[in-house]
């Protein structure tokens, strides 16, 4: 016995399109690639800055971070890496946690954690760079 045919004139692709769980997979894919490229471009200057900070006290670190280009490079790196971390962990959570309540709680905790890490890091850099 054959399965009953659908009376729809739509192709199989048209029936499947836009039926994903989150409807944002492609956007997340490209945002994660964009943040990865940003981090690749920023990693060498960040390593140089970190090497310059080794062995310095707070005054020395403030002096190095007081430079606007250095503070901007570090801020961009933090924003890109926190965003990259958020997207990557969210994909893992959505793929491997099947209980909907636990998935929702995990995604919320992931968002909060990534935001808190980024905010604390940004605050520290701004505080050191302003000399306060």
């Amino acid at each position: 016995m054959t399965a009953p045919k659908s009376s729809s004139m739509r192709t199989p692709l048209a029936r499947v399109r836009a039926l994903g769980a989150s409807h944002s997979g492609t956007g997340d894919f490209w945002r994660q690639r964009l943040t990865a490229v940003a981090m690749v471009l920023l990693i060498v200057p960040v390593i140089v800055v970190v090497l310059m900070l080794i062995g310095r006290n707070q005054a020395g670190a403030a002096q190095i971070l007081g430079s606007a280009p250095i503070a901007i490079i570090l801020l961009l790196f933090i924003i890109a890496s926190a965003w990259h971390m958020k997207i990557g962990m969210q994909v893992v959570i959505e793929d491997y946690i099947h209980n909907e309540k636990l998935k929702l709680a995990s995604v919320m905790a992931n968002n909060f954690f990534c935001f808190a890490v980024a905010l604390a890091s940004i605050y520290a850099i701004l505080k050191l760079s302003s000399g306060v």
Side-chain angles (χ1 to χ4, degrees), residues 33-55:
R33 287 348 177 242
L34 177 68
T35 56
V37 169
M39 289 189 305
V40 165
L41 295 174
L42 291 168
I43 192 66
V44 171
V46 168
I47 290 172
V48 169
V49 170
V50 169
L51 290 174
M52 289 171 30
L53 292 172
I54 292 176

Side-chain angles (χ1 to χ4, degrees), residues 18-26:
L19 292 179
S22 67
H23 302 287
S24 64
T26 304

Side-chain angles (χ1 to χ4, degrees), residues 60-108:
Q63 182 182 10
I64 291 170
L65 294 175
S67 168
I70 289 177
I72 290 170
I73 287 169
L74 292 176
L75 291 172
L76 289 173
F77 185 78
I78 287 167
I79 291 167
S81 59
W83 196 2
H84 188 82
M85 175 176 60
K86 178 207 164 295
I87 294 168
M89 282 307 301
Q90 184 169 334
V91 168
V92 170
I93 290 166
E94 289 172 349
D95 286 348
Y96 293 104
I97 296 180
H98 302 294
N99 180 314
E100 290 303 317
K101 289 180 182 178
L102 182 58
K103 185 184 298 187
L104 178 62
S106 298
V107 168
M108 289 172 60

Side-chain angles (χ1 to χ4, degrees), residues 12 46 80-81 111 123 125:
V46 168
S81 59
N111 289 340
Y123 174 75
I125 288 173

Side-chain angles (χ1 to χ4, degrees), residues 1-5:
M1 179 173 235
T2 61
K5 291 195 176 200

